[in-house]
């Protein structure tokens, strides 16, 4: 006889996912009724009946726990039979047989065929029958779109709730209200029981790594029982802004995405195929990323499956969804994946040599060629060929831009080197910031106390030495922008007036000098040297990648200029609202130009609307959650990733883009709060008293600049630009990664 108790760990391949999940919940301390699993190969049901001895005083319920039921992508809800209460041994045997037979019902077979599920076997779960005062289902997130609500349906009888023959009481409780115990009593449940249910459902979701759960529960008038938990199958896949928000932040134009998505997905697919080899078959890497509300998301469900195949810990999904610690992989998993990991490490080991070879044969000649031609001398056809060629060059540099940071992170971990120990003398963000700071200091001296913008502009234009230095700076770093991966965003050279505004604000401030690196012992210095070579390679890769993207942008800008001359494009930047195939169709005269204007207008309106909306960090399923009137939580204390040590108290200055920045004199340090940082933000960041960014980590551009200039910085503070208010007084602790709000209302206008 194969009879397994819920108190012990259960194998889902033998006992079914339903029983295995209940076993896990029970062992984690949830109030799950006792239970026993009758495996599919158990034929001696008389012995089972004698062992469990059902009676009128000890009734049971018999439920399906089919192999594959309650899985991540299919629930099989309502397909199999449940029987209860069962009060005699003979009735128990009949119930088990009936439950097994339901596996072969026409409806169940049709369901498996429709969902393309294999035929497996039916284990049966037997549990004490709980006489419910109230019972129902609770969803850890709204079952329609994954919005942050606990949705509860309750009736005096459990079967009536899932059976759909009666209208249950329906409640939708915002997660924020649940956290603060602001829950009102329902018609069926006291407030304390309802609060406990909401808390239990949240814990169940957390136990299963943030995957939304459909939880069946029973309230017997004394205790709240969990009788089933399964993923909400329609809230799949799960999409996350973790990583994506840093790689390509902000609202994204269609042209940028139509080029970036296949490029990035293809490179990641190649990298994972190196590690997984034949196990990568069947994975759709083209589905690695998508847009919701014009913002990029990565497929956490797909990446979670890749993590599983690579033997990484289950906490990997929590890292993607909530940014938590990845944890250490099991030794057995590491051993199974040694060949793939060795292949990846071998690729990384030879990366500097391969990169130098490609610099000589591909990248340096490509940049020389791009910079030797005047765009105005090229025909429309030649401009299209140029755009195609740049995209071909972007494929290998995109590979390097992904693998190089991975290699650097591995070396930092192996040699136990902190980010602060690295020299950043080769990073574009540091070099550009230093040179602009030096120019500001000399311009300040030349101004002799008169810092009026017209006066400064005159000095910069009329003083040959200062003018030449400014033009050299623009020529050297003009490829940078506030979002280096988004070709729709103007570069420094496209907006020299923005750079001038920033330069003049630096002139008006006291000069800020880089603090330099803390002196460390020779041992740490030796270890740091082992990593700095990779850091320099990473910086060189980042420069080439950004320069190629800038040339791609300028190519499209020239195409747009030709279109504006023909009256096809009405405004600057209109071309970026087309997808690349649409640009090609227009330029090659395959598409009537009059069809473009309404398309551009529609997409322009949508992008502006998406910029103004609240973008959730995680999306469940394939649609943005509907706004249900829940107000944003008011910030008291915020926490993120500590990126640069130091503690500063000052006033908040929210800056959504470089173009929107305007400096105002204030007697207290300015805490610059930004949605993201890129190399193009560096000069602005260097002038702040402290930095708070919604995305990014310890190796992001903002963190590097902050450490260089000794500015406290906290990265990855979700929703900071919305939760904090301009002029609020806050205290930023860059070592702890905290932002403490000291005043509820703005105190200073900045």
């Amino acid at each position: 006889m194969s009879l397994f108790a819920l108190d012990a760990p259960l194998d889902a391949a033998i006992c079914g996912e339903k029983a295995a999940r209940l076993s896990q919940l029970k062992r984690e301390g949830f109030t799950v009724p006792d239970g026993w699993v009758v495996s599919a190969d158990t034929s001696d049901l008389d012995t089972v009946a004698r062992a469990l001895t059902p009676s009128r005083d000890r009734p049971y319920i018999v439920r399906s726990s089919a192999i594959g039921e309650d899985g991540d992508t299919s629930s099989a809800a309502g397909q199999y039979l449940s029987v209860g209460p069962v009060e005699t041994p003979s009735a128990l045997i009949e119930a088990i047989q009936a439950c097994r037979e339901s596996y072969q019902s026409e409806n169940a077979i049709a369901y498996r065929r429709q969902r393309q599920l294999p035929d497996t076997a039916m284990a049966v779960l037997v549990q004490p029958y709980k006489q419910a005062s109230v019972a129902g289902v609770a969803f850890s997130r709204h079952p329609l779109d994954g919005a942050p609500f606990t949705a509860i349906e309750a009736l005096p009888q459990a079967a009536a709730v899932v059976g759909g023959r009666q209208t249950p009481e329906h409640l939708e409780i915002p997660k924020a209200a649940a956290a603060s115990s602001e829950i009102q009593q329902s018609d069926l449940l006291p407030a304390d029981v309802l609060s406990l249910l909401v808390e239990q459902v949240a814990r169940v979701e957390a136990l299963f790594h943030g995957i939304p759960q459909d939880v069946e529960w029973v309230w017997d008038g004394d205790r709240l029982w969990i009788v089933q938990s399964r993923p909400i199958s329609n809230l799949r896949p799960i999409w996350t802004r973790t990583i994506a928000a840093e790689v390509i932040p902000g609202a994204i134009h269609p042209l940028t995405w139509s080029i970036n998505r296949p490029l990035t997905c293809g490179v990641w697919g190649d990298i994972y195929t190196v590690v997984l080899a034949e196990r990568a078959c069947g994975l759709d890497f083209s589905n690695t990323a998508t847009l919701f509300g014009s913002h990029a998301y990565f497929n956490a469900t797909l990446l979670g499956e890749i993590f599983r195949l690579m033997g990484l810990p289950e906490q990997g999904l929590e890292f993607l969804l909530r940014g938590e610690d990845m944890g250490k992989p099991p030794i057995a998993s590491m051993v199974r994946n040694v060949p793939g990991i060795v292949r990846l490490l071998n690729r990384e080991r030879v990366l500097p040599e391969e990169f130098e070879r490609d610099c000589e044969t591909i990248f340096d000649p490509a940049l020389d060629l791009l910079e030797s031609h005047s765009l105005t001398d090229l025909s429309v056809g030649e401009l299209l060929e140029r755009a195609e060629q740049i995209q071909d060059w972007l494929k290998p540099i995109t590979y390097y831009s992904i693998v190089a940071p991975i290699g650097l992170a591995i070396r930092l971990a192996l040699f136990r080197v902190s980010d602060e120990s690295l020299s950043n003398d080769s990073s574009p963000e540091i070099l550009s910031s230093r040179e602009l700071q030096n120019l500001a200091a000399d311009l300040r001296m030349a101004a002799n106390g008169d810092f009026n913008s017209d006066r400064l502009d005159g000095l910069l234009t009329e003083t040959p030495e200062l003018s030449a230095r400014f033009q050299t700076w623009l020529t050297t770093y003009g490829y940078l922008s506030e979002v280096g991966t988004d070709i729709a965003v103007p570069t420094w050279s496209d907006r020299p007036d923005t750079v001038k505004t920033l330069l003049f604000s630096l002139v008006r401030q006291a000069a800020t000098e880089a603090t330099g690196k803390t002196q460390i012992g020779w041992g740490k210095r030796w270890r740091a040297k082992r990593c700095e070579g990779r850091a320099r390679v990473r910086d060189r890769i980042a420069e080439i990648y950004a320069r190629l993207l800038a040339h791609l942008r300028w190519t499209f800008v020239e195409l747009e200029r030709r279109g504006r001359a023909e009256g096809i494009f009405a405004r600057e930047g209109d071309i970026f609202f087309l997808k690349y195939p649409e640009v090609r169709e227009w330029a090659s005269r395959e598409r009537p130009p009059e069809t473009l204007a309404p398309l551009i207008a529609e997409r322009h309106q949508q992008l502006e609307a998406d910029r103004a909306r609240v973008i959730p960090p995680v999306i469940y399923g394939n649609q943005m959650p509907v706004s249900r009137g829940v107000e944003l939580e008011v910030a008291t204390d915020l926490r993120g990733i500590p990126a640069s040590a130091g503690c500063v108290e000052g006033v908040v200055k929210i800056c959504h883009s470089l173009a929107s920045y305007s400096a105002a004199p204030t007697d207290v340090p300015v805490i610059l709060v930004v949605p993201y940082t890129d190399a193009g933000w560096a000069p602005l960041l260097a002038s702040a008293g402290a930095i708070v960014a919604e995305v990014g980590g310890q190796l992001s551009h903002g963190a590097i600049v902050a450490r260089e200039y000794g500015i406290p910085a906290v990265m990855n503070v979700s929703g900071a630009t919305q939760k904090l208010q301009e002029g609020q007084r806050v205290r930023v602790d860059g070592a702890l990664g905290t932002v403490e709000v000291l005043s509820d209302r703005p105190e200073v206008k900045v």
Side-chain angles (χ1 to χ4, degrees):
M1 177 182 70
S2 298
L3 194 63
F4 303 91
L6 287 185
D7 297 290
L10 299 181
D11 185 349
I14 297 173
C15 299
E17 195 71 41
K18 179 187 294 181
R21 287 174 179 268
L22 283 175
S23 167
Q24 187 174 355
L25 287 167
K26 189 174 180 63
R27 288 179 288 112
E28 289 290 332
F30 288 88
T31 51
V32 174
D34 293 334
W36 300 267
V37 179
V38 183
S39 63
D41 60 357
T42 298
S43 57
D44 186 2
L45 298 184
D46 289 330
T47 303
V48 172
R50 285 195 300 271
L52 298 180
T53 61
S55 65
R56 180 171 295 181
D57 296 329
R58 184 182 170 84
Y60 288 99
I61 184 169
V62 177
R63 309 167 65 206
S64 65
S65 185
I67 314 304
E69 183 182 3
D70 289 354
D72 287 347
T73 58
S74 56
S75 66
Q79 299 303 316
Y80 307 125
L81 190 64
S82 293
V83 182
V86 174
E87 299 179 344
T88 65
S90 60
L92 177 61
I93 294 173
E94 292 174 2
I96 294 173
Q97 291 171 333
C99 188
R100 284 176 169 177
E101 290 169 1
S102 69
Y103 190 77
Q104 300 301 332
S105 70
E106 291 184 7
N107 287 342
I109 292 173
Y111 174 84
R112 294 196 296 273
R113 297 293 179 268
Q114 190 272 331
R115 300 293 294 174
Q116 296 182 333
L117 299 174
D119 291 330
T120 53
M122 170 71 82
V124 174
L125 175 63
V126 182
Q127 291 180 283
Y129 182 83
K130 297 295 181 183
Q131 186 63 47
S133 296
V134 184
V137 294
F139 300 94
S140 63
R141 288 189 169 268
H142 200 289
L144 296 182
D145 55 16
F149 289 78
T150 304
I152 298 172
E153 294 193 340
L155 274 176
Q157 297 180 28
V161 177
V162 296
R165 297 185 180 182
Q166 297 184 40
T167 301
E169 180 182 19
H170 182 84
L171 303 170
E172 293 183 5
I173 302 171
K175 285 185 173 292
S180 59
S181 301
E182 298 172 0
I183 297 177
Q184 301 298 318
Q185 179 170 323
S186 75
D187 293 338
L188 294 174
L189 291 173
D192 61 336
V193 175
L194 195 57
S195 178
L196 176 63
L197 176 58
V198 170
E199 182 267 331
Q200 291 284 294
V201 171
R203 283 184 55 210
V204 172
E205 180 184 278
L207 177 65
F208 293 114
H209 313 297
I211 297 175
Q213 296 292 304
D214 168 357
V215 178
E216 290 189 22
W217 54 271
V218 170
W219 169 249
D220 64 6
D222 179 42
R223 299 189 71 183
L224 182 69
W225 299 91
I226 304 296
V227 296
Q228 184 171 331
S229 182
R230 61 189 172 209
I232 306 175
S233 56
N234 64 289
L235 297 185
R236 308 278 280 184
I238 302 175
W239 302 90
T240 174
R241 287 279 288 156
T242 300
I243 304 174
E246 185 173 356
V247 173
I248 183 165
I252 303 166
H253 288 69
L255 183 54
T256 295
W257 188 244
S258 66
I259 292 171
N260 271 20
R261 182 178 181 272
L263 192 64
T264 304
C265 292
V267 171
W268 274 114
D270 292 344
I271 293 171
Y272 287 130
T273 301
V274 168
V275 178
L276 297 174
E278 68 278 356
R279 287 174 295 169
C281 296
L283 295 177
D284 182 9
F285 294 112
S286 67
N287 201 33
T288 301
T290 193
L291 286 186
F292 288 105
S294 301
H295 288 72
Y297 287 80
F298 282 164
N299 188 336
T301 300
L302 172 62
L303 295 177
E305 175 64 12
I306 291 169
F307 283 1
R308 185 186 67 78
L309 291 173
M310 291 174 65
L312 294 173
E314 293 181 338
Q315 289 84 352
L317 191 57
E318 295 176 357
F319 162 74
L320 291 171
L321 298 183
R322 297 192 286 268
E324 296 182 5
D325 189 358
M326 176 78 82
K328 294 182 179 180
I331 296 297
S333 299
M334 291 180 66
V335 170
R336 286 197 302 271
N337 286 276
V338 162
I341 294 171
V342 168
R343 287 192 296 270
L344 182 61
L345 291 177
N346 281 336
R347 288 280 190 95
E348 194 282 331
R349 181 177 56 81
V350 299
L351 182 141
E353 293 78 14
E354 289 186 347
F355 174 62
E356 287 302 323
R357 181 199 64 206
D358 285 349
C359 279
E360 293 179 7
T361 59
I362 301 175
F363 304 130
D364 291 341
L367 290 169
D368 289 342
L369 179 65
L370 291 171
E371 290 163 4
S372 65
H373 286 84
S374 172
L375 292 175
T376 56
D377 295 336
L378 302 178
S379 67
V380 168
E382 289 170 330
L383 288 170
L384 272 181
E385 291 178 5
R386 178 185 174 100
E388 295 275 3
Q389 181 62 75
I390 294 173
Q391 291 178 67
D392 287 340
W393 289 327
L394 280 168
K395 292 175 184 176
I397 199 64
T398 299
Y399 163 79
Y400 287 123
S401 72
I402 291 174
V403 176
I406 294 174
L408 176 59
I410 291 172
R411 288 173 181 272
L412 290 174
L414 287 176
F415 288 100
R416 294 179 291 117
V417 174
S418 64
D419 309 318
E420 294 85 350
S421 301
L422 289 179
S423 169
N424 295 301
D425 290 341
S426 61
S427 64
E429 52 265 40
I430 296 301
L431 295 175
S432 64
S433 182
R434 282 180 184 171
E435 292 184 23
L436 202 64
Q437 291 272 6
N438 292 336
L439 178 58
D442 291 344
L443 185 57
R444 179 185 180 88
M445 184 178 297
N448 196 27
D450 184 359
F451 302 141
N452 179 274
S453 294
D454 290 338
R455 164 70 170 161
L456 294 174
D457 189 52
L459 285 171
L460 194 62
T461 304
E462 297 166 9
T463 307
E465 189 267 338
L466 295 176
S467 178
R469 285 173 59 188
F470 182 69
Q471 290 304 318
T472 299
W473 190 94
L474 269 183
T475 301
T476 305
Y477 302 108
Y479 66 88
L480 294 174
S481 75
E482 62 189 76
V483 187
T485 52
D486 190 349
I487 59 173
V489 177
T491 63
W492 283 127
S493 62
D494 295 331
R495 294 287 187 269
D497 287 344
T498 300
V499 183
K500 283 186 179 180
T501 300
L502 177 55
L503 174 62
F504 297 162
S505 71
L506 293 174
V507 170
R508 296 184 186 102
Q509 297 173 9
T512 302
E513 296 183 359
T515 59
K517 298 299 176 186
T518 303
Q519 293 299 315
I520 58 177
W522 69 268
K524 290 184 178 179
R525 188 69 242 155
W526 181 87
R527 296 201 304 271
K529 286 289 185 183
R530 308 286 74 75
C531 302
E532 285 178 352
R534 282 299 194 276
R536 286 191 292 272
V537 171
R538 176 204 59 186
D539 294 338
R540 175 72 173 136
I541 290 168
E543 178 192 344
I544 293 174
Y545 182 59
R547 288 173 65 185
L548 285 174
L549 284 176
H551 281 289
L552 184 60
R553 168 185 163 76
W554 296 328
T555 303
F556 285 120
V557 168
E558 179 60 24
L559 278 169
E560 181 187 72
R561 189 185 68 80
R562 310 288 177 90
R564 290 180 71 183
E566 298 176 17
I568 295 170
F569 301 116
R571 293 171 297 189
E572 182 181 325
D574 272 359
I575 196 170
F576 296 104
F577 289 96
L578 299 177
K579 298 175 183 177
Y580 182 65
E582 295 165 346
V583 172
R584 194 169 51 217
E585 289 170 1
W586 157 69
S588 59
R589 309 303 182 189
E590 297 174 7
R591 182 181 183 124
E594 62 270 15
T595 64
L596 299 180
L599 185 63
I600 291 170
E602 178 186 347
R603 290 176 179 171
H604 188 280
Q605 184 179 14
Q606 185 61 56
L607 188 73
E608 291 305 309
D610 289 338
R611 277 181 173 147
R613 71 191 304 173
V614 176
I615 300 299
V618 178
I619 287 180
Y620 302 88
N622 288 305
Q623 64 177 5
M624 288 277 282
V626 176
S627 174
R628 292 175 171 82
V630 179
E631 296 183 0
L632 285 170
E633 61 179 295
V634 178
T636 52
D637 291 322
L638 304 179
R639 183 175 291 275
I641 296 174
S644 180
C647 187
V648 168
E649 186 176 315
V651 295
V652 169
K653 171 70 177 177
I654 295 174
C655 188
H656 289 281
S657 68
L658 287 170
S660 68
Y661 176 75
S662 59
T666 175
D667 295 332
V668 295
V670 171
I671 310 301
L672 196 63
V673 180
V674 296
Y676 51 83
T677 62
D678 209 323
W681 288 79
L684 174 58
L685 300 178
S687 67
I691 301 166
V692 177
E694 291 186 323
V695 301
Q698 292 180 340
L699 288 176
S700 63
H701 298 285
I704 291 171
V705 171
R707 290 194 295 270
E708 181 73 13
Y709 288 91
I711 301 167
V714 181
M715 317 303 289
N716 202 40
V717 182
S718 178
T721 60
Q722 296 162 329
K723 295 175 182 177
L724 296 172
Q725 301 178 58
E726 187 111 346
Q728 260 184 326
R729 185 177 290 272
V730 299
R731 181 184 295 114
V732 176
D733 191 318
L736 296 178
T738 59
V739 182
E740 182 182 358
V741 177
L742 304 177
S743 63
D744 294 332
R745 293 183 175 85
E747 293 183 355
V748 180
K749 185 176 181 180
V750 291

